[in-house]
Amino acid sequence: APAERAPPPPPPPAAEGGSSWRFYRSRQEVRQLVASLDERGVNERALKRALQAALPQLRLADEPAPSPPAGPWRSEGPHVGARVVLHFAGVGESEARVVRYLPPSEDEPALWHVEHDDGDEEDLEEDELLAGVAKLEARPADGLQEIDGPFALWRNGPQPRGARDPPLGLPAAREALLAAQAAIGPEPLAAGLGET
């Protein structure tokens, strides 16, 4: 017999005349949602796994903000609040924010504690921090980023007979996007954003 699924928490009433944004206020509500998702469905399985992975890092409305760590770490200092980009071989880049600073001691260098956008945390020495700041500042103005990792080596498979377009890898996709952007020009883009 199939396992009995727990019902999801009841949603709040929809706004009159349309949809509304909703959120879960407690860890228990999120757990109920996770329990109600069906592993047999591709989208539900993906959402369930993503929620299970993110649940330990979530701070929900019913939970107090984490208290700063005790000890010599400071929430103010050089580079605190700065954004950095760190490169991980085989994975790619990750953005992070500097949240704390540990001044140097007699025998230890200064450290900066960063929180990555994906929830990971780590401590950086000054040379690592400055390289991350420089990497963020060096990003291209078009916003397109270089990607490293196994997925970056992917190419489209064999083309059917008569296909006109060559298979795209990341460099060719970047060129195609830039060419399309140049062909469109700024006017349609501005009109699409509601500017005049």
Side-chain angles (χ1 to χ4, degrees):
E4 183 106 3
R5 294 186 343 173
E16 191 173 318
S19 63
S20 63
W21 286 91
R22 299 187 175 125
F23 64 95
Y24 292 97
R25 295 177 193 270
S26 72
R27 194 164 296 278
Q28 181 60 30
E29 288 178 342
V30 176
R31 284 190 186 113
Q32 286 177 325
L33 171 64
V34 169
S36 72
L37 295 171
D38 190 348
E39 285 278 335
R40 296 173 292 179
V42 174
N43 292 334
E44 286 191 41
R45 180 177 52 240
L47 177 58
K48 184 173 189 170
R49 290 181 181 164
L51 286 171
Q52 287 170 330
L55 194 57
Q57 288 97 21
L58 291 179
R59 187 175 73 80
L60 300 162
D62 68 338
E63 299 172 340
S67 58
W73 285 94
R74 299 180 183 170
S75 58
E76 294 181 0
H79 304 290
V80 172
R83 301 271 310 160
V84 297
V85 173
L86 301 171
H87 180 81
F88 297 95
V91 177
E93 294 181 341
S94 176
E95 288 193 36
R97 185 172 61 90
V98 180
V99 294
R100 291 188 293 279
Y101 165 68
L102 179 64
S105 64
E106 294 176 13
D107 56 343
E108 294 291 327
L111 293 174
W112 286 264
H113 188 78
V114 298
E115 291 180 355
H116 293 269
D117 293 348
D118 65 3
D120 285 344
E121 300 179 28
E122 68 178 297
D123 298 331
L124 302 176
E125 292 185 359
E126 187 170 24
D127 59 330
E128 297 169 308
L129 176 80
L130 295 177
V133 169
K135 188 174 271 295
L136 181 68
E137 292 172 352
R139 282 210 170 146
D142 62 18
L144 298 176
Q145 303 173 29
E146 297 298 323
I147 299 176
D148 179 25
F151 51 85
L153 302 175
W154 176 83
R155 295 205 183 272
N156 288 340
Q159 296 294 308
R161 290 193 185 273
R164 297 185 189 277
D165 295 329
L168 289 179
L170 290 175
R174 178 187 175 106
E175 287 181 30
L177 286 171
L178 291 173
Q181 182 180 5
I184 292 172
E187 292 81 19
L189 180 61
L193 297 174
E195 299 175 6
T196 56

